[in-house]
Amino acid sequence: MNLWEMADLSTPWSLHVAATLGIAGHIAAGKTEIADLAAAADVDRNSLYRVLRHLVNKGVFEEPAPGRFALNDPARQLLEGPIRLGLDLNGIGGRMAHAWGTLLTAVRRGRPAYHEIFGRAFWDDLDAHPDIAASFDELMGVAGHGVPDPEVLVDPSFWASVKTVVDVGGGTGALLAEVLRAHPQARGTLVDFPRTVARSPEVFAAAGVAERATAVGQSFFDPLPAGADLYILKGVINDWPDPEAIAILKRCAEALPPAGRVSIIGGVGPDEPESPELMMMVLVGGRRRPLAEFRVMAREAGLAVRASGKQPTGRFMVELAAE
Ligand SMILES: C[S@@+](CC[C@H](N)C(=O)[O-])C[C@H]1O[C@@H](n2cnc3c(N)ncnc32)[C@H](O)[C@@H]1O
C-alpha cells in the first residue's frame, strides 16, 4: 500500500476543477481542442492541458489525438446531475471540498470546525449564502438523488390509517411529493427553512399533488404542526449531535397524536458496516446511528422504537411511537 499515492490530492482536485469549469459540457458542445476548451472556460491553456492529461491518465476523458479531448463514460458523469453538482467548487461542492481542511480541528475538539474556514457553522453559512443554499437544496432534492422512495413505513398496512403526513426537514419536498402521489388519501405538510420550502410549489405541482400539500417555513427546533398521523425525518437526525437530535425528536413527540408514528430514515442497519461518515463529521458534526442508539434517544424524547426495517430501495428506517 503506497500511502503517498493514497494521500495524493491531484485527482480529486482535478475532478473538482474540470467540473467547475464545465469542461465536459464544452466537449459535448463540440469544443474538443485544448485551445478552444481553455478559451471557453477562460483559463490558462497549458495548465488546463496538464489537468486534463492527468484525468486522462486516471481514466476520465480520452485524448484521441494530441491536444484533443473526448468524453468517455466517467467523464459523462460530469455533464450534469449529482456528481457535477457535488464537485462544482462554486456551489456546495466547494464547501464540501474545502471543509476537509477543518478535519484536524474537528478531531482535536470533537465538534465541527467548519466555521474556521467559512466564518459560520454550516447551516448559518447556507443561510448567509442563498446561492450555496440553493445548490445544497438541489443536491438533496430530485436533481441530486433521483426519485425518493415513498415507502417510509416498516409496516405498509399502517398507511390505511394515515390521513396526514409531516415531512420534517423535508428539503424542497421531493419525498413528500412522492409519498402523496403513492398515497392519494393523504395530505402533507413540508417543514424546512423558508428559503428551502419556497421551491416546493413547483415540486408539488410537477408531481400533481399541489392540492394536498402545504409548506411551512420554520425551524424544526420550534413547535411542529401538530396532530399528523405520520412524521418523517429523512436524512435529518444524522445531521446532528445527540442533544440536537433528541430535541428534534422531542418536537415530533409533542406534536404526535396517541396513535401517530415517527419514521426516521437514514440509520445504519444491523447488516450494514458502520461507516465513519467523515464528511458529516466535518460539515455538521452528525453521524448515522445504529438501532441501539435510536432506542436510547427515543426514550429521552418520550418515544419508543416500534419497528425497524428497510425501504424497498434499501435505506434503513426506524419507526417510533409514543412510549
Ligand atoms: C440532509 S438534508 C435532508 C433533506 C431531505 N429530508 C432529504 O432527505 O433529501 C437536511 C435538511 O434539514 C434542513 N434543516 C437543517 N436545519 C434545519 C432547521 N433548524 N429547521 C428546519 N430545517 C432544517 C435543511 O434545510 C435540509 O433540507
Side-chain angles (χ1 to χ4, degrees):
M1 185 181 290
N2 183 330
L3 291 192
W4 193 241
E5 270 178 25
M6 278 180 80
D8 184 2
L9 298 177
S10 317
T11 305
W13 278 104
S14 295
L15 287 168
H16 279 293
V17 166
T20 306
L21 296 177
I23 297 300
H26 292 313
I27 294 175
K31 294 188 170 69
T32 58
E33 298 289 341
I34 187 64
D36 296 336
L37 285 170
D42 192 21
V43 296
D44 178 71
R45 167 189 165 151
N46 289 336
S47 305
L48 179 64
Y49 185 63
R50 289 167 68 181
V51 165
L52 292 183
R53 288 279 311 151
H54 174 79
L55 288 174
V56 168
N57 287 339
K58 295 291 175 186
V60 187
F61 298 105
E62 286 171 359
E63 190 180 12
R68 182 182 306 153
F69 292 90
L71 297 177
N72 56 7
D73 281 345
R76 269 182 214 100
Q77 297 179 51
L78 296 173
L79 280 172
E80 57 187 24
I83 297 198
R84 164 89 204 272
L85 208 53
L87 289 176
D88 187 342
L89 292 168
N90 290 326
I92 189 68
R95 292 307 206 257
M96 295 193 298
H98 291 289
W100 286 115
T102 67
L103 179 61
L104 179 60
T105 313
V107 169
R108 281 201 171 116
R109 300 198 185 139
R111 53 181 188 272
Y114 181 93
H115 60 278
E116 270 192 346
I117 291 187
F118 298 109
R120 301 173 173 88
F122 181 74
W123 299 112
D124 296 336
D125 179 40
L126 295 197
D127 215 23
H129 296 94
D131 51 332
I132 305 289
S135 79
F136 172 78
D137 290 343
E138 199 180 339
L139 186 63
M140 291 296 113
V142 178
H145 294 143
V147 178
D149 187 344
E151 196 40 78
V152 297
L153 286 171
V154 179
D155 174 8
S157 70
F158 187 70
W159 277 115
S161 54
V162 175
K163 301 280 179 289
T164 46
V165 182
V166 176
D167 191 357
V168 181
T172 54
L175 172 62
L176 186 60
E178 287 310 308
V179 164
L180 296 181
R181 204 145 65 152
H183 302 283
Q185 85 286 0
R187 305 186 68 80
T189 303
L190 175 70
V191 172
D192 208 293
F193 290 123
R195 60 159 195 266
T196 303
V197 302
R199 286 188 52 206
S200 66
E202 65 197 69
V203 175
F204 295 144
V209 299
E211 288 181 0
R212 292 184 287 127
T214 52
V216 181
Q218 64 157 84
S219 170
F220 47 46
F221 293 109
D222 293 333
L224 295 170
D229 303 308
L230 177 63
Y231 289 79
I232 302 171
L233 290 160
K234 173 172 166 265
V236 167
I237 293 300
N238 45 13
D239 275 348
W240 296 92
D242 288 357
E244 287 86 354
I246 292 166
I248 298 165
L249 290 179
K250 279 186 177 159
R251 287 303 187 196
C252 291
E254 63 192 33
L256 199 66
R261 298 279 165 108
V262 179
S263 173
I264 301 173
I265 298 164
V268 184
D271 56 342
E272 295 170 35
E274 208 158 323
S275 135
E277 300 268 349
L278 298 185
M279 177 55 89
M280 302 192 69
M281 185 167 118
V282 292
L283 290 183
V284 289
R287 68 202 160 85
R288 286 167 67 217
R289 298 169 174 87
L291 182 58
E293 292 192 35
F294 283 117
R295 285 192 200 287
V296 175
M297 290 200 310
R299 204 173 309 129
E300 294 216 23
L303 297 166
V305 172
R306 286 281 182 268
S308 64
K310 287 206 169 170
Q311 290 190 289
T313 44
R315 291 193 78 175
F316 186 60
M317 55 182 166
V318 179
E319 221 168 274
L320 315 179
E323 239 179 346

